[in-house]
Amino acid sequence: RKEVEQDPGPFNVPEGATVAFNCTYSNSASQSFFWYRQDCRKEPKLLMSVYSSGNEDGRFTAQLNRASQYISLLIRDSKLSDSATYLCAVNLGTGGGNKLTFGTGTQLKVEL
Amino acid sequence: ETGVTQTPRHLVMGMTNKKSLKCEQHLGHNAMYWYKQSAKKPLELMFVYSLEERVENNSVPSRFSPECPNSSHLFLHLHTLQPEDSALYLCASSQDNWVSGSSYNEQFFGPGTRLTVL
């Protein structure tokens, strides 16, 4: 089983739709979780940290389910500009250093 | 300059060349990282430096040699690379507050160097 796993997609959704992605992780000792957005041929940009209680930033909501070992990202009222690859990242919390393990990313395409 | 910068943005080199990638962070962070991103693969962590000490070397071949002269600068020295080393090399930084030997803060990425090895 991969340490961090995502459905690669693509998810093709119409503008205004609500879309959700999940990301599963294998290590129950994982300590911190993040969602990054990556546009084609660009660097990943931090979208949200994922807190135990869940957190919301505008149209974006991130949640953590420790029992089932996954994090989720919900995008409401999707815009054309939301089209990108969404990467989840997990800090396994072992040893020194802030070592993130990334998933392969989920591609989102928002269409007219 | 703000954020994390990387030079060069593009690099083409032969297998016998020696080159260096440079990363500079302007965020006052105390940790820096090198990642490799190949097509259809997840980001792979290569090296971690915390307070200028290397704390991680993720089984990276010796043809990649990192250097961190201070907390703002990070280099990746390349020599005798292989064509399969062609990828996007990303630098990142974070401000880490160590708790029980681990840290959980967000990392911020530079724009990357797109490397092609002929």
Side-chain angles (χ1 to χ4, degrees):
Chain A
R1 183 182 174 186
K2 292 180 185 175
E3 289 184 304
V4 178
E5 204 151 3
Q6 295 182 254
D7 180 343
F11 284 57
N12 298 309
V13 303
E15 210 174 6
T18 295
V19 62
F21 312 130
N22 284 344
C23 168
T24 59
Y25 59 95
S26 60
N27 189 335
S28 60
S30 299
Q31 297 288 337
S32 58
F33 310 87
F34 306 94
W35 282 105
Y36 283 81
R37 171 196 169 125
Q38 187 172 26
D39 293 288
C40 188
R41 303 185 74 80
K42 298 282 183 104
E43 75 273 23
K45 291 190 189 296
L46 181 67
L47 182 65
M48 303 177 77
S49 302
V50 186
Y51 304 124
S52 297
S53 55
N55 47 309
E56 188 174 311
D57 182 4
R59 299 181 293 110
F60 298 84
T61 300
Q63 293 200 307
L64 167 63
N65 185 317
R66 282 198 183 272
S68 301
Q69 293 182 206
Y70 72 87
I71 62 172
S72 63
L73 177 68
L74 181 79
I75 306 176
R76 288 180 297 278
D77 187 25
S78 51
K79 313 287 185 194
L80 293 174
S81 57
D82 294 333
S83 298
T85 297
Y86 291 84
L87 306 173
C88 69
V90 177
N91 182 319
L92 300 180
T94 56
N98 182 10
K99 292 172 284 189
L100 293 182
T101 301
F102 282 81
T104 51
T106 298
Q107 188 179 9
L108 172 65
K109 295 182 180 178
V110 181
E111 303 163 332
L112 286 171
Chain B
E1 292 274 20
T2 58
V4 182
T5 58
Q6 289 186 243
T7 55
R9 296 293 306 276
H10 300 273
L11 178 61
V12 179
M13 59 187 288
M15 289 192 284
T16 57
N17 292 158
K18 288 185 182 181
K19 296 285 184 184
S20 295
L21 309 185
K22 179 183 174 182
C23 175
E24 185 173 357
Q25 60 94 2
H26 311 268
L27 300 168
H29 288 167
N30 60 11
M32 296 185 77
Y33 312 81
W34 279 117
Y35 288 88
K36 174 184 178 182
Q37 189 174 36
S38 305
K40 307 294 184 188
K41 288 187 178 180
L43 276 159
E44 300 170 47
L45 180 63
M46 299 175 73
F47 300 105
V48 178
Y49 276 83
S50 172
L51 300 172
E52 300 153 46
E53 297 280 331
R54 190 192 307 181
V55 296
E56 181 74 12
N57 175 355
N58 241 6
S59 303
V60 179
S62 60
R63 56 186 185 267
F64 295 91
S65 174
E67 178 190 359
C68 186
N70 55 62
S71 59
S72 299
H73 294 86
L74 187 63
F75 294 90
L76 188 62
H77 303 300
L78 317 171
H79 65 98
T80 59
L81 294 192
Q82 305 297 312
E84 60 264 28
D85 297 322
S86 299
L88 180 67
Y89 288 84
L90 291 157
C91 172
S93 71
S94 65
Q95 179 59 30
D96 289 339
N97 304 307
W98 304 110
V99 176
S100 301
S102 295
S103 181
Y104 312 110
N105 288 347
E106 302 93 340
Q107 293 179 19
F108 297 89
F109 286 83
T113 294
R114 191 159 295 280
L115 173 67
T116 303
V117 182
L118 301 175

